[in-house]
Amino acid sequence: MNRRTAGLVRRLKNIAHRFDPAIAGEKELILKSLTRRVPGSGLESYMETLMFIRAHPDNVNVLKLSDACLERLALHLDRSGRGRTGDLVNSGLPFSNGHGSFTRPFTGWLLAQRGMVADIASYEDAMFDLNEVLKMTLPSIEQAETGAGLSNDGLLDTLEVRRENRLAFIYRQTGRLGEKAGEHLFDGLGIRQTIRLQDRKWSRAFNRSRRNSRFCHDGLLKRFDHRTLLQHPAPRPLDPGPRTRGEIVNVIKASLLLADRETDPVTYMDESSLLFYELDRGISVALYGMSADRQM
């Protein structure tokens, strides 16, 4: 890494959480310089510093410059392909790869998204054999192939399922057995997935919901009267409209994907129950429930 770039990144990280006019000016100077360069290492830490500054901007200039630095980082990763291999897998950086295991409903959401491609990486700790599962779902003319003792890949080769279509194929086949039975069998196949993130919005840096306004910080609020705050009435939820509501749902689900996690409240979200609030100090909150048939 260029020593000057490394020094700028290190200094920016040290002052990111400090707020006063002099520090704001220094942030602007450093960020302006970094819009023209990208550090050679420590990209995940650098992204997190920029994300903190963007979430807590001192002023509009700092906000715009932090956005410009994130744009420069995304452009670099798109052109270089550095996020697709090695220790940057599952980093949540723009144009990186993810790797993990997901349930059938969450996989359905993944397969439906533009700008990401989900493939089968491997089968690990499987409870069911793919031959036995597809024996229950394939047309009778193809069922004989499941009795030949083939491996999972061998069976799919024989069925002439292209590698890039195999996850979607298994997703559709298990769905023929009904929702809950299909989920049980899909999960029992032990599928590990590789997620190729091909749009910058599928990254921790750009996975955002839109706000009507931005809040600039002149300090970190550390002391407040919690009693007064709890008694303060919440604003009415916004009506985001169908398109923005869908974007909010995608942001929520992508936040788990980018953390290599999955939770039942998100996987089985009742999207019609979603309430979206814009609160003070730049905070947005989404509240939602689970589908009734999935609640414990």
Side-chain angles (χ1 to χ4, degrees), residues 4-5 8 27-38 65 69:
R4 173 166 167 73
T5 303
L8 291 171
K27 287 179 187 176
E28 289 186 40
L29 289 174
I30 294 175
L31 288 167
K32 188 173 182 179
S33 181
L34 289 172
T35 58
R36 301 187 297 272
R37 63 190 80 197
V38 172
L65 288 167
C69 289

Side-chain angles (χ1 to χ4, degrees), residues 108 131 155 227:
N131 289 277
L155 174 60
R227 293 185 180 86

Side-chain angles (χ1 to χ4, degrees), residues 105-122:
F106 200 84
T107 298
W109 174 80
L110 290 174
L111 291 170
Q113 304 311 307
R114 294 181 179 180
M116 69 169 75
V117 178
D119 296 321
I120 297 175
S122 61

Side-chain angles (χ1 to χ4, degrees), residues 29-159:
L29 289 174
I30 294 175
L31 288 167
K32 188 173 182 179
S33 181
L34 289 172
T35 58
R36 301 187 297 272
R37 63 190 80 197
V38 172
S41 61
L43 294 182
E44 188 173 357
S45 175
Y46 176 55
M47 176 184 69
E48 290 171 350
T49 299
L50 293 174
M51 288 169 59
F52 180 89
I53 292 172
R54 190 185 185 280
H56 305 85
D58 304 68
N59 53 53
V60 174
N61 285 339
V62 168
L63 173 62
K64 290 180 178 179
L65 288 167
S66 63
D67 272 336
C69 289
L70 287 170
E71 295 277 1
R72 180 70 181 83
L73 176 61
L75 179 63
H76 167 76
L77 290 167
D78 185 25
R79 290 177 174 175
S80 68
R82 288 178 59 189
R84 300 185 178 102
T85 58
D87 60 355
L88 297 184
V89 171
N90 282 346
S91 65
L93 284 161
F95 302 103
S96 63
N97 281 359
H99 191 70
S101 298
F102 302 100
T103 62
R104 186 177 182 278
F106 200 84
T107 298
W109 174 80
L110 290 174
L111 291 170
Q113 304 311 307
R114 294 181 179 180
M116 69 169 75
V117 178
D119 296 321
I120 297 175
S122 61
Y123 304 87
E124 300 178 12
D125 301 321
M127 294 188 296
F128 305 120
D129 179 73
L130 184 61
N131 289 277
E132 293 301 317
V133 173
L134 294 187
K135 191 174 187 178
M136 297 183 283
T137 67
L138 288 171
S140 56
I141 195 171
E142 294 179 324
Q143 286 180 8
E145 307 294 352
T146 63
L150 298 171
S151 66
N152 290 351
D153 285 336
L155 174 60
L156 293 170
D157 285 340
T158 301
L159 295 172

Side-chain angles (χ1 to χ4, degrees), residues 198-241:
Q198 300 174 333
D199 189 311
R200 66 180 186 175
K201 74 177 182 180
W202 304 120
S203 68
R204 290 165 55 204
F206 293 94
N207 184 43
R208 315 164 182 160
S209 61
R210 288 177 283 184
R211 275 185 64 93
N212 292 324
S213 61
R214 294 291 302 180
F215 179 82
C216 294
H217 296 252
D218 57 6
L220 289 178
L221 184 62
K222 296 182 178 180
R223 297 181 181 179
F224 54 88
D225 187 338
H226 66 278
R227 293 185 180 86
T228 300
L229 184 63
L230 290 171
Q231 292 172 2
H232 185 74
R236 294 181 61 83
L238 301 179
D239 181 7

